[in-house]
Amino acid sequence: MIDAYDVLNLSYDADEEEIKKAYRRMSLQHHPDKVRASGSSCEEANAKFNEIKIARDILVDPDRRKIHDTFGIDLGDEKPELEVWTIGVGSMLSPMGTFALKTFVMRAVIWTMGWRYIGYLVLLLGMVVALLYAIDFKFREVKVRSQDGLPYVIGAGIAVGVVAIVWIWQLLADAAGIFYLASEVVDLALFVENWKIGLGAAITSFFVAWLVRGWWFWIIVLQVALVVVVLIAVSMASELVRLWIENVKTQHGDNLKDWRLRMRKQRKTLQDEVAELKNKMQDCERVGNGYAIDNTARRPVR
């Protein structure tokens, strides 16, 4: 953690022009090439030069400077309110929105496959794919039985299976859809590796499918409403963080500024004391060296 104002030797009320001038002066003074030519340490020169650049970046960015003036630290390029928004979207909004979308797609597929003509069309396409698989049809250097053609075969098989399930028993299709949604929440491998858990999930899916018959429209509406509520909550949280930062700066910004000024004054006092002690030590060394030379000159020669 650095004090950007101290690094650039600026007052706490410095404007943008003063910041740019200070940066040019300090960067020229501590440029690694110049320092290297004088025989000083390259690592220290690079560290100091990077510190100067970071201090400049903090002070020329109004948002970063506001955080630095409010809390005395730098949080980087991203604003805190945007960080809250990103966390909210990644941890809550995105998973809920994705689950709602999958629920809608699942119901749309089951509803669409329930139409006889669409079902017949899917069955016809499945038969065509099966025939192409049987003769190992080749299209543009891609064979149906190859790894590149396998996804199409599997997709056609799944589509035919969905149509068959919907036509045989609607509740079974609903239960399969619920089982699919459960596998999106809980890892599907858990159901496969432990047959007891898989069987329990299948039975539970049947029970839930029976329980929510005729309510799917309202379930999807409820999921969309929850997504909207979370979106509003995340937006409000982000705005509240921004307002809180503004409030903290208004209430405590001057206190932090006064504390920094006191610390700067104390550092200056300590630096002066250290410099004075160094001068006294150098004077003592010169006096001691002169006394030793004088005694050596007076020592009789044997």
Side-chain angles (χ1 to χ4, degrees), residues 23-32 34-35 49 52:
Y23 171 71
R24 286 195 293 267
R25 182 182 68 254
M26 297 293 291
S27 61
L28 288 174
Q29 180 180 350
H30 296 279
H31 196 278
K34 182 178 179 180
V35 176
F49 189 71
I52 293 170

Side-chain angles (χ1 to χ4, degrees), residues 51 61 129 134 166 176 179 195 223 227 238 250 272 293:
E51 190 177 68
D61 187 330
V129 172
V166 172
F179 188 86
W195 68 269
Q223 289 185 350
V227 171
S238 178
T250 302
D272 293 341
I293 293 173

Side-chain angles (χ1 to χ4, degrees), residues 134-146:
I135 63 175
D136 195 13
F137 181 75
K138 182 178 180 181
F139 179 72
R140 292 183 179 180
E141 304 301 327
V142 177
K143 292 184 177 181
V144 176
R145 295 184 182 180
S146 66

Side-chain angles (χ1 to χ4, degrees), residues 119 206 250 263 299:
F206 266 103
T250 302
M263 293 298 296
R299 186 178 300 169

Side-chain angles (χ1 to χ4, degrees), residues 174-300:
D174 293 343
I178 293 173
F179 188 86
Y180 160 73
L181 293 177
S183 67
E184 292 295 311
V185 177
V186 181
D187 190 4
L188 180 62
L190 181 64
F191 298 151
V192 176
E193 294 173 358
N194 192 322
W195 68 269
K196 293 182 179 180
I197 297 178
L199 180 61
I203 295 174
T204 305
S205 298
F206 266 103
F207 175 73
V208 174
W210 172 81
L211 198 64
V212 300
R213 284 183 302 173
W215 290 91
W216 281 107
F217 173 78
W218 297 108
I219 290 173
I220 294 175
V221 170
L222 178 61
Q223 289 185 350
V224 173
L226 288 175
V227 171
V228 173
V229 169
V230 172
L231 175 63
I232 295 173
V234 172
S235 301
M236 291 180 62
S238 178
E239 182 63 18
L240 285 174
V241 169
R242 187 189 68 80
L243 293 175
W244 175 72
I245 293 174
E246 293 284 353
N247 187 51
V248 171
K249 186 177 188 305
T250 302
Q251 292 185 356
H252 304 289
D254 292 337
N255 295 334
L256 178 61
K257 181 179 177 181
D258 294 338
W259 177 79
R260 282 173 160 174
L261 290 172
R262 290 196 301 270
M263 293 298 296
R264 178 178 285 187
K265 186 176 181 180
Q266 291 177 6
R267 284 197 299 270
K268 183 65 170 60
T269 302
L270 291 174
Q271 289 172 355
D272 293 341
E273 291 178 356
V274 170
E276 184 178 356
L277 288 174
K278 286 183 178 179
N279 291 333
K280 288 182 178 180
M281 291 178 64
Q282 290 175 357
D283 293 339
C284 291
E285 289 178 357
R286 284 195 294 270
V287 172
N289 291 336
Y291 180 76
I293 293 173
D294 185 60
N295 285 340
T296 303
R298 294 183 179 182
R299 186 178 300 169

